Amino acid sequence: MEISESKSEAPYLIVLGTAQDGGSPHIGCEKACCATLLAENDHSRSVVSLGLVNPRTNQCWMFEATPDFTAQVAELVTELPAKRLPDGVFVTHAHIGHYTGLMYLGREALGAHQMPVYTMPRMKQFLESNGPWSQLVSLKNVELKMLQDKAEIALTEKIVVKPFTVPHRDEFSETVGFEIRGPGKTALFIPDIDKWQKWDTNVLELIQKVDYAFLDATFYDQSEVPERDMSEIPHPFVVESMKLMDTLPETDRRKVHFIHLNHSNPLLDEGSPQTKEVQKKGYQIARKGMRVSLE
Ligand SMILES: [Zn+2]
Ligand SMILES: [Zn+2]
Ligand SMILES: [Zn+2]
């Protein structure tokens, strides 16, 4: 294969989805956020996922196996010539938006042959010991590759992925974020985390060290969830994240890409006043199809 060093060949990330686990539109939602989407049967929005593409080796990897996995795999592989499937799947944790797409690798669907699936130890144990996931393992549809906290995995000579644990509702598995490092640039992917203050890592220092930060922005503010006990579903509100990150210089604020948006989050609407406010403050909102270079 001819290895080209041209600019267009640089490894990059592509956003394959930006919604929270339940998707947008959301089941049973009669509010304005979903009513039109449901009436028009519009399913163009997808659950949170990133694709990692390396044109130099004709390889690609998925981050998260969402309920929209089939469509997202199709979108990812069209980034490369004559590509049918990704070269591996990284999974952050065992909540439905992040791993249930693995079902499409099984006997009832693709019948994959040893698709590498990268997971942390508890997540691996969960998949191995609970049906239907255990069948993916016994039939060798997937090959589980165990990750360890803060241990780097080299995908190619110049592309490295590092998981790190974050505080979250860990009923079935631990939860990680990923640092994805290319030849010249590094991205953070933290789709789910409890409040920033509960983490032993200083997120502001982390943002300063990387080039992009795709961060949990489930809810814009408390008004979206008046009927829910927030201690059961803690996330950093976007307004709280901005309050914290407003102290960063503009060059660092621009790295922040809010993602994992609940159906109720006004940032899903590109024209909402909240979207304009976030952009005015120098932050970005992840949108499907967005690409960022890792070189
Ligand atoms: Zn989630
Ligand atoms: Zn809704
Ligand atoms: Zn979660």
Side-chain angles (χ1 to χ4, degrees):
M1 194 200 328
E2 193 179 285
I3 305 289
S4 165
E5 294 294 320
S6 74
K7 191 84 182 153
S8 63
E9 297 276 304
Y12 61 94
L13 292 174
I14 178 167
V15 176
L16 300 171
T18 66
Q20 178 268 358
D21 301 46
S24 164
H26 199 263
I27 185 167
C29 181
E30 295 175 311
K31 295 183 192 155
C33 49
C34 297
T36 310
L37 294 170
L38 283 170
E40 293 174 358
N41 200 23
D42 180 347
H43 293 280
S44 57
R45 290 175 179 172
S46 305
V47 174
V48 64
S49 172
L50 297 182
L52 167 59
V53 184
N54 184 18
R56 287 178 188 146
T57 58
N58 205 50
Q59 285 177 296
C60 60
W61 297 267
M62 304 275 299
F63 286 83
E64 310 293 37
T66 83
D68 299 316
F69 192 61
T70 301
Q72 289 171 323
V73 166
E75 282 157 22
L76 177 61
V77 296
T78 56
E79 296 292 302
L80 292 168
K83 193 83 182 166
R84 183 170 156 256
L85 295 169
D87 294 276
V89 183
F90 287 81
V91 170
T92 57
H93 67 302
H95 284 160
I96 63 150
H98 304 264
Y99 81 102
T100 54
L102 293 176
M103 69 183 176
Y104 295 110
L105 298 174
R107 180 175 263 172
E108 302 90 332
L110 177 65
H113 180 63
Q114 296 183 316
M115 171 72 71
V117 174
Y118 297 85
T119 74
M120 291 290 284
R122 254 188 87 200
M123 178 80 208
K124 182 168 179 282
Q125 171 78 28
F126 171 78
L127 294 172
E128 285 167 341
S129 36
N130 293 282
W133 321 109
S134 52
Q135 186 172 271
L136 298 174
V137 179
S138 61
L139 294 180
K140 295 190 165 51
N141 300 126
V142 300
E143 188 180 323
L144 300 180
K145 307 260 194 192
M146 190 153 75
L147 301 170
Q148 296 287 356
D149 189 23
K150 298 193 176 74
E152 296 186 347
I153 296 269
L155 294 177
T156 72
E157 206 182 310
K158 292 185 176 168
I159 301 177
V160 169
V161 175
K162 185 172 82 176
F164 49 87
T165 54
V166 297
H168 189 46
R169 292 182 294 115
D170 292 343
E171 306 96 328
F172 301 119
S173 75
E174 63 282 84
T175 301
V176 290
F178 289 109
E179 190 180 299
I180 306 159
R181 200 166 75 226
K185 287 185 173 154
T186 301
L188 282 181
F189 179 47
I190 309 177
D192 259 302
I193 189 168
D194 290 359
K195 302 288 182 188
W196 297 119
Q197 293 77 359
K198 282 176 68 178
W199 195 19
D200 57 9
T201 299
N202 183 329
V203 69
L204 297 179
E205 287 172 13
L206 205 52
I207 292 168
Q208 291 185 290
K209 283 187 205 148
V210 299
D211 301 282
Y212 315 100
F214 292 89
L215 303 180
D216 180 348
T218 308
F219 303 111
Y220 187 75
D221 61 23
Q222 173 77 55
S223 69
E224 284 165 70
V225 278
E227 71 281 14
R228 292 287 290 268
D229 176 359
M230 279 309 292
S231 65
E232 288 173 10
I233 43 166
H235 291 276
F237 290 128
V238 173
V239 290
E240 292 172 344
S241 294
M242 291 198 296
K243 199 170 172 197
L244 188 67
M245 295 166 195
D246 278 351
T247 57
L248 291 168
E250 208 228 320
T251 47
D252 286 323
R253 292 200 303 274
R254 280 203 66 75
K255 298 172 182 175
V256 174
H257 292 64
F258 290 118
I259 202 164
H260 192 273
L261 310 171
N262 198 59
H263 65 104
S264 56
N265 192 323
L267 299 188
L268 277 169
D269 176 357
E270 293 184 31
S272 72
Q274 291 89 343
T275 291
K276 295 199 174 107
E277 174 70 11
V278 166
Q279 288 168 339
K280 199 175 81 193
K281 283 172 166 280
Y283 303 97
Q284 307 206 46
I285 301 158
R287 301 289 180 207
K288 202 168 157 180
M290 188 181 257
R291 291 169 178 78
V292 298
S293 174
L294 292 177
E295 187 159 84

